[in-house]
Amino acid sequence: QVQLVESGGGLVQAGGSLRLSCAPSGSIFSVNAMAWYRQAPGKQRDLVAGITRGGSTKYADSVKDRFTISRDNARNKVYLQMNSLKPEDTAVYYCNANIKDSYYSDYRGYWGQGTQVTVSS
């Protein structure tokens, strides 16, 4: 049973920084694209940043030049460094990854349980 485990959320003042981490547990054969999404109360879940296995990245316009996504392929971990945080960044942040759990399986998308990020003004 594959699970994604996130850590690093919390409460921070505007202008501060946080670093989120995510790693899969369970039977892992290969991890392809990984990403971070966020969902604020009453809003849909939106892509924040994504990264391919080769390191290509994309960002939501609202976080460009403030957030950096990176990954450690040896550990199958993905990180989100968030700088210059704003109150509008407040949301539950979810890790997403495309994972094969065996040689014979297809890639399948998995979600973490979410970690709360709250930015006070």
Side-chain angles (χ1 to χ4, degrees), residues 35-38 45-51 57-69 80 89 93:
W36 289 96
Y37 286 74
R38 68 185 180 187
R45 188 175 298 187
D46 292 324
L47 176 70
V48 176
I51 186 167
T57 59
K58 62 178 177 181
Y59 295 92
D61 288 342
S62 60
V63 306
K64 280 179 183 176
D65 301 323
R66 299 190 298 122
F67 291 10
T68 302
I69 189 170
L80 186 67
D89 295 317
Y93 284 70

mmCIF file with all atom_site columns, all heavy atoms in Angstrom, residues 35-38 45-51 57-69 80 89 93:
data_model
loop_
_atom_site.group_PDB
_atom_site.id
_atom_site.type_symbol
_atom_site.label_atom_id
_atom_site.label_alt_id
_atom_site.label_comp_id
_atom_site.label_asym_id
_atom_site.label_entity_id
_atom_site.label_seq_id
_atom_site.pdbx_PDB_ins_code
_atom_site.Cartn_x
_atom_site.Cartn_y
_atom_site.Cartn_z
_atom_site.occupancy
_atom_site.B_iso_or_equiv
_atom_site.pdbx_formal_charge
_atom_site.auth_seq_id
_atom_site.auth_comp_id
_atom_site.auth_asym_id
_atom_site.auth_atom_id
_atom_site.pdbx_PDB_model_num
ATOM 1   N N   . ALA A 1 35 ? 4.317  16.726 -7.567  1.00 0.00 ? 35 ALA A N   1
ATOM 2   C CA  . ALA A 1 35 ? 3.775  18.087 -7.564  1.00 0.00 ? 35 ALA A CA  1
ATOM 3   C C   . ALA A 1 35 ? 3.217  18.442 -6.197  1.00 0.00 ? 35 ALA A C   1
ATOM 4   O O   . ALA A 1 35 ? 2.987  17.573 -5.356  1.00 0.00 ? 35 ALA A O   1
ATOM 5   C CB  . ALA A 1 35 ? 2.677  18.211 -8.623  1.00 0.00 ? 35 ALA A CB  1
ATOM 6   N N   . TRP A 1 36 ? 3.023  19.734 -6.015  1.00 0.00 ? 36 TRP A N   1
ATOM 7   C CA  . TRP A 1 36 ? 2.331  20.263 -4.842  1.00 0.00 ? 36 TRP A CA  1
ATOM 8   C C   . TRP A 1 36 ? 1.090  21.013 -5.322  1.00 0.00 ? 36 TRP A C   1
ATOM 9   O O   . TRP A 1 36 ? 1.160  21.796 -6.276  1.00 0.00 ? 36 TRP A O   1
ATOM 10  C CB  . TRP A 1 36 ? 3.231  21.218 -4.059  1.00 0.00 ? 36 TRP A CB  1
ATOM 11  C CG  . TRP A 1 36 ? 4.349  20.529 -3.355  1.00 0.00 ? 36 TRP A CG  1
ATOM 12  C CD1 . TRP A 1 36 ? 5.631  20.366 -3.789  1.00 0.00 ? 36 TRP A CD1 1
ATOM 13  C CD2 . TRP A 1 36 ? 4.279  19.921 -2.053  1.00 0.00 ? 36 TRP A CD2 1
ATOM 14  N NE1 . TRP A 1 36 ? 6.364  19.674 -2.863  1.00 0.00 ? 36 TRP A NE1 1
ATOM 15  C CE2 . TRP A 1 36 ? 5.557  19.398 -1.781  1.00 0.00 ? 36 TRP A CE2 1
ATOM 16  C CE3 . TRP A 1 36 ? 3.280  19.760 -1.096  1.00 0.00 ? 36 TRP A CE3 1
ATOM 17  C CZ2 . TRP A 1 36 ? 5.863  18.727 -0.593  1.00 0.00 ? 36 TRP A CZ2 1
ATOM 18  C CZ3 . TRP A 1 36 ? 3.575  19.114 0.069   1.00 0.00 ? 36 TRP A CZ3 1
ATOM 19  C CH2 . TRP A 1 36 ? 4.850  18.597 0.322   1.00 0.00 ? 36 TRP A CH2 1
ATOM 20  N N   . TYR A 1 37 ? -0.009 20.756 -4.650  1.00 0.00 ? 37 TYR A N   1
ATOM 21  C CA  . TYR A 1 37 ? -1.261 21.461 -4.876  1.00 0.00 ? 37 TYR A CA  1
ATOM 22  C C   . TYR A 1 37 ? -1.652 22.136 -3.560  1.00 0.00 ? 37 TYR A C   1
ATOM 23  O O   . TYR A 1 37 ? -1.147 21.778 -2.495  1.00 0.00 ? 37 TYR A O   1
ATOM 24  C CB  . TYR A 1 37 ? -2.370 20.487 -5.282  1.00 0.00 ? 37 TYR A CB  1
ATOM 25  C CG  . TYR A 1 37 ? -2.264 19.951 -6.683  1.00 0.00 ? 37 TYR A CG  1
ATOM 26  C CD1 . TYR A 1 37 ? -1.312 19.000 -7.023  1.00 0.00 ? 37 TYR A CD1 1
ATOM 27  C CD2 . TYR A 1 37 ? -3.138 20.377 -7.680  1.00 0.00 ? 37 TYR A CD2 1
ATOM 28  C CE1 . TYR A 1 37 ? -1.212 18.505 -8.309  1.00 0.00 ? 37 TYR A CE1 1
ATOM 29  C CE2 . TYR A 1 37 ? -3.062 19.880 -8.980  1.00 0.00 ? 37 TYR A CE2 1
ATOM 30  C CZ  . TYR A 1 37 ? -2.096 18.945 -9.282  1.00 0.00 ? 37 TYR A CZ  1
ATOM 31  O OH  . TYR A 1 37 ? -2.004 18.452 -10.561 1.00 0.00 ? 37 TYR A OH  1
ATOM 32  N N   . ARG A 1 38 ? -2.590 23.075 -3.640  1.00 0.00 ? 38 ARG A N   1
ATOM 33  C CA  . ARG A 1 38 ? -3.124 23.663 -2.415  1.00 0.00 ? 38 ARG A CA  1
ATOM 34  C C   . ARG A 1 38 ? -4.607 23.939 -2.577  1.00 0.00 ? 38 ARG A C   1
ATOM 35  O O   . ARG A 1 38 ? -5.098 24.156 -3.681  1.00 0.00 ? 38 ARG A O   1
ATOM 36  C CB  . ARG A 1 38 ? -2.364 24.936 -2.036  1.00 0.00 ? 38 ARG A CB  1
ATOM 37  C CG  . ARG A 1 38 ? -2.561 26.118 -2.974  1.00 0.00 ? 38 ARG A CG  1
ATOM 38  C CD  . ARG A 1 38 ? -1.647 27.267 -2.558  1.00 0.00 ? 38 ARG A CD  1
ATOM 39  N NE  . ARG A 1 38 ? -1.787 28.430 -3.423  1.00 0.00 ? 38 ARG A NE  1
ATOM 40  C CZ  . ARG A 1 38 ? -1.014 29.501 -3.348  1.00 0.00 ? 38 ARG A CZ  1
ATOM 41  N NH1 . ARG A 1 38 ? -0.029 29.563 -2.447  1.00 0.00 ? 38 ARG A NH1 1
ATOM 42  N NH2 . ARG A 1 38 ? -1.208 30.521 -4.171  1.00 0.00 ? 38 ARG A NH2 1
ATOM 43  N N   . ARG A 1 45 ? -8.948 22.813 -5.479  1.00 0.00 ? 45 ARG A N   1
ATOM 44  C CA  . ARG A 1 45 ? -7.550 22.451 -5.309  1.00 0.00 ? 45 ARG A CA  1
ATOM 45  C C   . ARG A 1 45 ? -6.792 22.837 -6.583  1.00 0.00 ? 45 ARG A C   1
ATOM 46  O O   . ARG A 1 45 ? -7.154 22.427 -7.682  1.00 0.00 ? 45 ARG A O   1
ATOM 47  C CB  . ARG A 1 45 ? -7.421 20.947 -5.053  1.00 0.00 ? 45 ARG A CB  1
ATOM 48  C CG  . ARG A 1 45 ? -6.036 20.501 -4.671  1.00 0.00 ? 45 ARG A CG  1
ATOM 49  C CD  . ARG A 1 45 ? -6.013 19.020 -4.322  1.00 0.00 ? 45 ARG A CD  1
ATOM 50  N NE  . ARG A 1 45 ? -6.867 18.704 -3.176  1.00 0.00 ? 45 ARG A NE  1
ATOM 51  C CZ  . ARG A 1 45 ? -6.901 17.502 -2.596  1.00 0.00 ? 45 ARG A CZ  1
ATOM 52  N NH1 . ARG A 1 45 ? -6.130 16.525 -3.042  1.00 0.00 ? 45 ARG A NH1 1
ATOM 53  N NH2 . ARG A 1 45 ? -7.700 17.286 -1.574  1.00 0.00 ? 45 ARG A NH2 1
ATOM 54  N N   . ASP A 1 46 ? -5.743 23.626 -6.430  1.00 0.00 ? 46 ASP A N   1
ATOM 55  C CA  . ASP A 1 46 ? -4.989 24.141 -7.574  1.00 0.00 ? 46 ASP A CA  1
ATOM 56  C C   . ASP A 1 46 ? -3.532 23.712 -7.530  1.00 0.00 ? 46 ASP A C   1
ATOM 57  O O   . ASP A 1 46 ? -2.947 23.578 -6.447  1.00 0.00 ? 46 ASP A O   1
ATOM 58  C CB  . ASP A 1 46 ? -5.037 25.678 -7.605  1.00 0.00 ? 46 ASP A CB  1
ATOM 59  C CG  . ASP A 1 46 ? -6.412 26.221 -7.920  1.00 0.00 ? 46 ASP A CG  1
ATOM 60  O OD1 . ASP A 1 46 ? -7.122 25.586 -8.736  1.00 0.00 ? 46 ASP A OD1 1
ATOM 61  O OD2 . ASP A 1 46 ? -6.768 27.269 -7.368  1.00 0.00 ? 46 ASP A OD2 1
ATOM 62  N N   . LEU A 1 47 ? -2.952 23.572 -8.704  1.00 0.00 ? 47 LEU A N   1
ATOM 63  C CA  . LEU A 1 47 ? -1.537 23.257 -8.798  1.00 0.00 ? 47 LEU A CA  1
ATOM 64  C C   . LEU A 1 47 ? -0.691 24.435 -8.328  1.00 0.00 ? 47 LEU A C   1
ATOM 65  O O   . LEU A 1 47 ? -0.921 25.570 -8.734  1.00 0.00 ? 47 LEU A O   1
ATOM 66  C CB  . LEU A 1 47 ? -1.170 22.913 -10.238 1.00 0.00 ? 47 LEU A CB  1
ATOM 67  C CG  . LEU A 1 47 ? 0.309  22.646 -10.514 1.00 0.00 ? 47 LEU A CG  1
ATOM 68  C CD1 . LEU A 1 47 ? 0.749  21.335 -9.872  1.00 0.00 ? 47 LEU A CD1 1
ATOM 69  C CD2 . LEU A 1 47 ? 0.586  22.626 -12.010 1.00 0.00 ? 47 LEU A CD2 1
ATOM 70  N N   . VAL A 1 48 ? 0.280  24.159 -7.484  1.00 0.00 ? 48 VAL A N   1
ATOM 71  C CA  . VAL A 1 48 ? 1.238  25.171 -7.039  1.00 0.00 ? 48 VAL A CA  1
ATOM 72  C C   . VAL A 1 48 ? 2.531  25.045 -7.844  1.00 0.00 ? 48 VAL A C   1
ATOM 73  O O   . VAL A 1 48 ? 3.032  26.020 -8.398  1.00 0.00 ? 48 VAL A O   1
ATOM 74  C CB  . VAL A 1 48 ? 1.548  25.014 -5.540  1.00 0.00 ? 48 VAL A CB  1
ATOM 75  C CG1 . VAL A 1 48 ? 2.625  26.009 -5.115  1.00 0.00 ? 48 VAL A CG1 1
ATOM 76  C CG2 . VAL A 1 48 ? 0.289  25.193 -4.714  1.00 0.00 ? 48 VAL A CG2 1
ATOM 77  N N   . ALA A 1 49 ? 3.061  23.826 -7.896  1.00 0.00 ? 49 ALA A N   1
ATOM 78  C CA  . ALA A 1 49 ? 4.314  23.587 -8.612  1.00 0.00 ? 49 ALA A CA  1
ATOM 79  C C   . ALA A 1 49 ? 4.432  22.107 -8.930  1.00 0.00 ? 49 ALA A C   1
ATOM 80  O O   . ALA A 1 49 ? 3.940  21.269 -8.175  1.00 0.00 ? 49 ALA A O   1
ATOM 81  C CB  . ALA A 1 49 ? 5.514  24.039 -7.789  1.00 0.00 ? 49 ALA A CB  1
ATOM 82  N N   . GLY A 1 50 ? 5.078  21.806 -10.054 1.00 0.00 ? 50 GLY A N   1
ATOM 83  C CA  . GLY A 1 50 ? 5.301  20.428 -10.448 1.00 0.00 ? 50 GLY A CA  1
ATOM 84  C C   . GLY A 1 50 ? 6.723  20.227 -10.929 1.00 0.00 ? 50 GLY A C   1
ATOM 85  O O   . GLY A 1 50 ? 7.385  21.188 -11.356 1.00 0.00 ? 50 GLY A O   1
ATOM 86  N N   . ILE A 1 51 ? 7.194  18.984 -10.849 1.00 0.00 ? 51 ILE A N   1
ATOM 87  C CA  . ILE A 1 51 ? 8.554  18.667 -11.283 1.00 0.00 ? 51 ILE A CA  1
ATOM 88  C C   . ILE A 1 51 ? 8.583  17.274 -11.882 1.00 0.00 ? 51 ILE A C   1
ATOM 89  O O   . ILE A 1 51 ? 8.008  16.333 -11.328 1.00 0.00 ? 51 ILE A O   1
ATOM 90  C CB  . ILE A 1 51 ? 9.544  18.807 -10.094 1.00 0.00 ? 51 ILE A CB  1
ATOM 91  C CG1 . ILE A 1 51 ? 10.985 18.626 -10.567 1.00 0.00 ? 51 ILE A CG1 1
ATOM 92  C CG2 . ILE A 1 51 ? 9.206  17.859 -8.951  1.00 0.00 ? 51 ILE A CG2 1
ATOM 93  C CD1 . ILE A 1 51 ? 12.018 19.060 -9.524  1.00 0.00 ? 51 ILE A CD1 1
ATOM 94  N N   . THR A 1 57 ? 10.528 21.954 -14.266 1.00 0.00 ? 57 THR A N   1
ATOM 95  C CA  . THR A 1 57 ? 9.573  22.468 -13.293 1.00 0.00 ? 57 THR A CA  1
ATOM 96  C C   . THR A 1 57 ? 8.564  23.414 -13.941 1.00 0.00 ? 57 THR A C   1
ATOM 97  O O   . THR A 1 57 ? 8.807  23.973 -15.014 1.00 0.00 ? 57 THR A O   1
ATOM 98  C CB  . THR A 1 57 ? 10.293 23.242 -12.173 1.00 0.00 ? 57 THR A CB  1
ATOM 99  O OG1 . THR A 1 57 ? 11.023 24.333 -12.748 1.00 0.00 ? 57 THR A OG1 1
ATOM 100 C CG2 . THR A 1 57 ? 11.246 22.339 -11.406 1.00 0.00 ? 57 THR A CG2 1
ATOM 101 N N   . LYS A 1 58 ? 7.440  23.557 -13.268 1.00 0.00 ? 58 LYS A N   1
ATOM 102 C CA  . LYS A 1 58 ? 6.460  24.567 -13.643 1.00 0.00 ? 58 LYS A CA  1
ATOM 103 C C   . LYS A 1 58 ? 5.814  25.079 -12.371 1.00 0.00 ? 58 LYS A C   1
ATOM 104 O O   . LYS A 1 58 ? 5.730  24.365 -11.373 1.00 0.00 ? 58 LYS A O   1
ATOM 105 C CB  . LYS A 1 58 ? 5.406  24.015 -14.590 1.00 0.00 ? 58 LYS A CB  1
ATOM 106 C CG  . LYS A 1 58 ? 4.551  22.902 -14.042 1.00 0.00 ? 58 LYS A CG  1
ATOM 107 C CD  . LYS A 1 58 ? 3.512  22.477 -15.078 1.00 0.00 ? 58 LYS A CD  1
ATOM 108 C CE  . LYS A 1 58 ? 2.687  21.308 -14.573 1.00 0.00 ? 58 LYS A CE  1
ATOM 109 N NZ  . LYS A 1 58 ? 1.679  20.874 -15.587 1.00 0.00 ? 58 LYS A NZ  1
ATOM 110 N N   . TYR A 1 59 ? 5.386  26.347 -12.425 1.00 0.00 ? 59 TYR A N   1
ATOM 111 C CA  . TYR A 1 59 ? 4.830  27.006 -11.248 1.00 0.00 ? 59 TYR A CA  1
ATOM 112 C C   . TYR A 1 59 ? 3.559  27.764 -11.600 1.00 0.00 ? 59 TYR A C   1
ATOM 113 O O   . TYR A 1 59 ? 3.410  28.272 -12.708 1.00 0.00 ? 59 TYR A O   1
ATOM 114 C CB  . TYR A 1 59 ? 5.839  28.017 -10.683 1.00 0.00 ? 59 TYR A CB  1
ATOM 115 C CG  . TYR A 1 59 ? 7.107  27.402 -10.160 1.00 0.00 ? 59 TYR A CG  1
ATOM 116 C CD1 . TYR A 1 59 ? 8.226  27.252 -10.974 1.00 0.00 ? 59 TYR A CD1 1
ATOM 117 C CD2 . TYR A 1 59 ? 7.193  26.976 -8.842  1.00 0.00 ? 59 TYR A CD2 1
ATOM 118 C CE1 . TYR A 1 59 ? 9.390  26.683 -10.496 1.00 0.00 ? 59 TYR A CE1 1
ATOM 119 C CE2 . TYR A 1 59 ? 8.358  26.412 -8.346  1.00 0.00 ? 59 TYR A CE2 1
ATOM 120 C CZ  . TYR A 1 59 ? 9.451  26.267 -9.186  1.00 0.00 ? 59 TYR A CZ  1
ATOM 121 O OH  . TYR A 1 59 ? 10.605 25.702 -8.689  1.00 0.00 ? 59 TYR A OH  1
ATOM 122 N N   . ALA A 1 60 ? 2.684  27.877 -10.628 1.00 0.00 ? 60 ALA A N   1
ATOM 123 C CA  . ALA A 1 60 ? 1.557  28.786 -10.750 1.00 0.00 ? 60 ALA A CA  1
ATOM 124 C C   . ALA A 1 60 ? 2.105  30.207 -10.767 1.00 0.00 ? 60 ALA A C   1
ATOM 125 O O   . ALA A 1 60 ? 3.104  30.513 -10.091 1.00 0.00 ? 60 ALA A O   1
ATOM 126 C CB  . ALA A 1 60 ? 0.601  28.603 -9.577  1.00 0.00 ? 60 ALA A CB  1
ATOM 127 N N   . ASP A 1 61 ? 1.475  31.074 -11.534 1.00 0.00 ? 61 ASP A N   1
ATOM 128 C CA  . ASP A 1 61 ? 1.957  32.454 -11.637 1.00 0.00 ? 61 ASP A CA  1
ATOM 129 C C   . ASP A 1 61 ? 2.043  33.126 -10.264 1.00 0.00 ? 61 ASP A C   1
ATOM 130 O O   . ASP A 1 61 ? 2.941  33.938 -10.017 1.00 0.00 ? 61 ASP A O   1
ATOM 131 C CB  . ASP A 1 61 ? 1.034  33.266 -12.547 1.00 0.00 ? 61 ASP A CB  1
ATOM 132 C CG  . ASP A 1 61 ? 1.169  32.883 -14.016 1.00 0.00 ? 61 ASP A CG  1
ATOM 133 O OD1 . ASP A 1 61 ? 2.200  32.251 -14.374 1.00 0.00 ? 61 ASP A OD1 1
ATOM 134 O OD2 . ASP A 1 61 ? 0.252  33.195 -14.796 1.00 0.00 ? 61 ASP A OD2 1
ATOM 135 N N   . SER A 1 62 ? 1.128  32.781 -9.380  1.00 0.00 ? 62 SER A N   1
ATOM 136 C CA  . SER A 1 62 ? 1.052  33.447 -8.075  1.00 0.00 ? 62 SER A CA  1
ATOM 137 C C   . SER A 1 62 ? 2.235  33.126 -7.165  1.00 0.00 ? 62 SER A C   1
ATOM 138 O O   . SER A 1 62 ? 2.452  33.828 -6.175  1.00 0.00 ? 62 SER A O   1
ATOM 139 C CB  . SER A 1 62 ? -0.246 33.070 -7.371  1.00 0.00 ? 62 SER A CB  1
ATOM 140 O OG  . SER A 1 62 ? -0.311 31.672 -7.180  1.00 0.00 ? 62 SER A OG  1
ATOM 141 N N   . VAL A 1 63 ? 2.993  32.076 -7.483  1.00 0.00 ? 63 VAL A N   1
ATOM 142 C CA  . VAL A 1 63 ? 4.102  31.687 -6.592  1.00 0.00 ? 63 VAL A CA  1
ATOM 143 C C   . VAL A 1 63 ? 5.463  31.779 -7.272  1.00 0.00 ? 63 VAL A C   1
ATOM 144 O O   . VAL A 1 63 ? 6.491  31.536 -6.623  1.00 0.00 ? 63 VAL A O   1
ATOM 145 C CB  . VAL A 1 63 ? 3.903  30.263 -6.031  1.00 0.00 ? 63 VAL A CB  1
ATOM 146 C CG1 . VAL A 1 63 ? 2.541  30.128 -5.364  1.00 0.00 ? 63 VAL A CG1 1
ATOM 147 C CG2 . VAL A 1 63 ? 4.095  29.202 -7.102  1.00 0.00 ? 63 VAL A CG2 1
ATOM 148 N N   . LYS A 1 64 ? 5.480  32.124 -8.563  1.00 0.00 ? 64 LYS A N   1
ATOM 149 C CA  . LYS A 1 64 ? 6.760  32.240 -9.267  1.00 0.00 ? 64 LYS A CA  1
ATOM 150 C C   . LYS A 1 64 ? 7.665  33.229 -8.562  1.00 0.00 ? 64 LYS A C   1
ATOM 151 O O   . LYS A 1 64 ? 7.213  34.284 -8.095  1.00 0.00 ? 64 LYS A O   1
ATOM 152 C CB  . LYS A 1 64 ? 6.524  32.675 -10.717 1.00 0.00 ? 64 LYS A CB  1
ATOM 153 C CG  . LYS A 1 64 ? 6.098  31.555 -11.632 1.00 0.00 ? 64 LYS A CG  1
ATOM 154 C CD  . LYS A 1 64 ? 5.869  32.061 -13.044 1.00 0.00 ? 64 LYS A CD  1
ATOM 155 C CE  . LYS A 1 64 ? 5.378  30.946 -13.951 1.00 0.00 ? 64 LYS A CE  1
ATOM 156 N NZ  . LYS A 1 64 ? 5.060  31.430 -15.322 1.00 0.00 ? 64 LYS A NZ  1
ATOM 157 N N   . ASP A 1 65 ? 8.936  32.903 -8.499  1.00 0.00 ? 65 ASP A N   1
ATOM 158 C CA  . ASP A 1 65 ? 9.973  33.732 -7.873  1.00 0.00 ? 65 ASP A CA  1
ATOM 159 C C   . ASP A 1 65 ? 9.894  33.740 -6.352  1.00 0.00 ? 65 ASP A C   1
ATOM 160 O O   . ASP A 1 65 ? 10.720 34.405 -5.699  1.00 0.00 ? 65 ASP A O   1
ATOM 161 C CB  . ASP A 1 65 ? 9.917  35.182 -8.386  1.00 0.00 ? 65 ASP A CB  1
ATOM 162 C CG  . ASP A 1 65 ? 10.104 35.271 -9.896  1.00 0.00 ? 65 ASP A CG  1
ATOM 163 O OD1 . ASP A 1 65 ? 10.913 34.492 -10.440 1.00 0.00 ? 65 ASP A OD1 1
ATOM 164 O OD2 . ASP A 1 65 ? 9.429  36.103 -10.520 1.00 0.00 ? 65 ASP A OD2 1
ATOM 165 N N   . ARG A 1 66 ? 8.927  33.034 -5.762  1.00 0.00 ? 66 ARG A N   1
ATOM 166 C CA  . ARG A 1 66 ? 8.847  32.927 -4.297  1.00 0.00 ? 66 ARG A CA  1
ATOM 167 C C   . ARG A 1 66 ? 8.999  31.492 -3.829  1.00 0.00 ? 66 ARG A C   1
ATOM 168 O O   . ARG A 1 66 ? 9.564  31.226 -2.771  1.00 0.00 ? 66 ARG A O   1
ATOM 169 C CB  . ARG A 1 66 ? 7.517  33.495 -3.788  1.00 0.00 ? 66 ARG A CB  1
ATOM 170 C CG  . ARG A 1 66 ? 7.301  34.959 -4.090  1.00 0.00 ? 66 ARG A CG  1
ATOM 171 C CD  . ARG A 1 66 ? 6.080  35.507 -3.360  1.00 0.00 ? 66 ARG A CD  1
ATOM 172 N NE  . ARG A 1 66 ? 4.843  34.836 -3.772  1.00 0.00 ? 66 ARG A NE  1
ATOM 173 C CZ  . ARG A 1 66 ? 4.038  34.193 -2.927  1.00 0.00 ? 66 ARG A CZ  1
ATOM 174 N NH1 . ARG A 1 66 ? 4.316  34.138 -1.650  1.00 0.00 ? 66 ARG A NH1 1
ATOM 175 N NH2 . ARG A 1 66 ? 2.935  33.628 -3.375  1.00 0.00 ? 66 ARG A NH2 1
ATOM 176 N N   . PHE A 1 67 ? 8.452  30.551 -4.595  1.00 0.00 ? 67 PHE A N   1
ATOM 177 C CA  . PHE A 1 67 ? 8.478  29.134 -4.223  1.00 0.00 ? 67 PHE A CA  1
ATOM 178 C C   . PHE A 1 67 ? 9.435  28.384 -5.144  1.00 0.00 ? 67 PHE A C   1
ATOM 179 O O   . PHE A 1 67 ? 9.568  28.714 -6.325  1.00 0.00 ? 67 PHE A O   1
ATOM 180 C CB  . PHE A 1 67 ? 7.091  28.509 -4.363  1.00 0.00 ? 67 PHE A CB  1
ATOM 181 C CG  . PHE A 1 67 ? 6.067  28.978 -3.373  1.00 0.00 ? 67 PHE A CG  1
ATOM 182 C CD1 . PHE A 1 67 ? 6.283  30.060 -2.528  1.00 0.00 ? 67 PHE A CD1 1
ATOM 183 C CD2 . PHE A 1 67 ? 4.845  28.325 -3.285  1.00 0.00 ? 67 PHE A CD2 1
ATOM 184 C CE1 . PHE A 1 67 ? 5.340  30.478 -1.618  1.00 0.00 ? 67 PHE A CE1 1
ATOM 185 C CE2 . PHE A 1 67 ? 3.879  28.734 -2.384  1.00 0.00 ? 67 PHE A CE2 1
ATOM 186 C CZ  . PHE A 1 67 ? 4.118  29.806 -1.548  1.00 0.00 ? 67 PHE A CZ  1
ATOM 187 N N   . THR A 1 68 ? 10.062 27.357 -4.601  1.00 0.00 ? 68 THR A N   1
ATOM 188 C CA  . THR A 1 68 ? 10.945 26.501 -5.386  1.00 0.00 ? 68 THR A CA  1
ATOM 189 C C   . THR A 1 68 ? 10.633 25.039 -5.091  1.00 0.00 ? 68 THR A C   1
ATOM 190 O O   . THR A 1 68 ? 10.674 24.627 -3.918  1.00 0.00 ? 68 THR A O   1
ATOM 191 C CB  . THR A 1 68 ? 12.416 26.778 -5.072  1.00 0.00 ? 68 THR A CB  1
ATOM 192 O OG1 . THR A 1 68 ? 12.718 28.158 -5.328  1.00 0.00 ? 68 THR A OG1 1
ATOM 193 C CG2 . THR A 1 68 ? 13.326 25.900 -5.936  1.00 0.00 ? 68 THR A CG2 1
ATOM 194 N N   . ILE A 1 69 ? 10.351 24.279 -6.141  1.00 0.00 ? 69 ILE A N   1
ATOM 195 C CA  . ILE A 1 69 ? 10.126 22.848 -5.990  1.00 0.00 ? 69 ILE A CA  1
ATOM 196 C C   . ILE A 1 69 ? 11.412 22.122 -6.364  1.00 0.00 ? 69 ILE A C   1
ATOM 197 O O   . ILE A 1 69 ? 12.119 22.514 -7.299  1.00 0.00 ? 69 ILE A O   1
ATOM 198 C CB  . ILE A 1 69 ? 8.938  22.360 -6.853  1.00 0.00 ? 69 ILE A CB  1
ATOM 199 C CG1 . ILE A 1 69 ? 8.582  20.911 -6.515  1.00 0.00 ? 69 ILE A CG1 1
ATOM 200 C CG2 . ILE A 1 69 ? 9.219  22.533 -8.341  1.00 0.00 ? 69 ILE A CG2 1
ATOM 201 C CD1 . ILE A 1 69 ? 7.271  20.451 -7.149  1.00 0.00 ? 69 ILE A CD1 1
ATOM 202 N N   . LEU A 1 80 ? 9.104  21.622 -1.216  1.00 0.00 ? 80 LEU A N   1
ATOM 203 C CA  . LEU A 1 80 ? 8.611  22.922 -1.660  1.00 0.00 ? 80 LEU A CA  1
ATOM 204 C C   . LEU A 1 80 ? 9.145  23.971 -0.698  1.00 0.00 ? 80 LEU A C   1
ATOM 205 O O   . LEU A 1 80 ? 8.715  24.026 0.461   1.00 0.00 ? 80 LEU A O   1
ATOM 206 C CB  . LEU A 1 80 ? 7.084  22.960 -1.703  1.00 0.00 ? 80 LEU A CB  1
ATOM 207 C CG  . LEU A 1 80 ? 6.496  24.236 -2.296  1.00 0.00 ? 80 LEU A CG  1
ATOM 208 C CD1 . LEU A 1 80 ? 6.819  24.332 -3.797  1.00 0.00 ? 80 LEU A CD1 1
ATOM 209 C CD2 . LEU A 1 80 ? 4.988  24.296 -2.087  1.00 0.00 ? 80 LEU A CD2 1
ATOM 210 N N   . ASP A 1 89 ? -1.415 32.829 0.689   1.00 0.00 ? 89 ASP A N   1
ATOM 211 C CA  . ASP A 1 89 ? -0.835 31.495 0.534   1.00 0.00 ? 89 ASP A CA  1
ATOM 212 C C   . ASP A 1 89 ? -1.416 30.498 1.532   1.00 0.00 ? 89 ASP A C   1
ATOM 213 O O   . ASP A 1 89 ? -1.127 29.301 1.467   1.00 0.00 ? 89 ASP A O   1
ATOM 214 C CB  . ASP A 1 89 ? 0.685  31.532 0.700   1.00 0.00 ? 89 ASP A CB  1
ATOM 215 C CG  . ASP A 1 89 ? 1.376  32.327 -0.392  1.00 0.00 ? 89 ASP A CG  1
ATOM 216 O OD1 . ASP A 1 89 ? 1.003  32.176 -1.563  1.00 0.00 ? 89 ASP A OD1 1
ATOM 217 O OD2 . ASP A 1 89 ? 2.311  33.087 -0.050  1.00 0.00 ? 89 ASP A OD2 1
ATOM 218 N N   . TYR A 1 93 ? -1.866 22.205 1.892   1.00 0.00 ? 93 TYR A N   1
ATOM 219 C CA  . TYR A 1 93 ? -0.981 21.845 0.791   1.00 0.00 ? 93 TYR A CA  1
ATOM 220 C C   . TYR A 1 93 ? -0.918 20.323 0.675   1.00 0.00 ? 93 TYR A C   1
ATOM 221 O O   . TYR A 1 93 ? -0.689 19.625 1.664   1.00 0.00 ? 93 TYR A O   1
ATOM 222 C CB  . TYR A 1 93 ? 0.402  22.426 1.018   1.00 0.00 ? 93 TYR A CB  1
ATOM 223 C CG  . TYR A 1 93 ? 0.456  23.911 0.733   1.00 0.00 ? 93 TYR A CG  1
ATOM 224 C CD1 . TYR A 1 93 ? -0.182 24.823 1.566   1.00 0.00 ? 93 TYR A CD1 1
ATOM 225 C CD2 . TYR A 1 93 ? 1.130  24.401 -0.378  1.00 0.00 ? 93 TYR A CD2 1
ATOM 226 C CE1 . TYR A 1 93 ? -0.157 26.180 1.284   1.00 0.00 ? 93 TYR A CE1 1
ATOM 227 C CE2 . TYR A 1 93 ? 1.165  25.753 -0.663  1.00 0.00 ? 93 TYR A CE2 1
ATOM 228 C CZ  . TYR A 1 93 ? 0.516  26.645 0.178   1.00 0.00 ? 93 TYR A CZ  1
ATOM 229 O OH  . TYR A 1 93 ? 0.547  27.991 -0.096  1.00 0.00 ? 93 TYR A OH  1
#
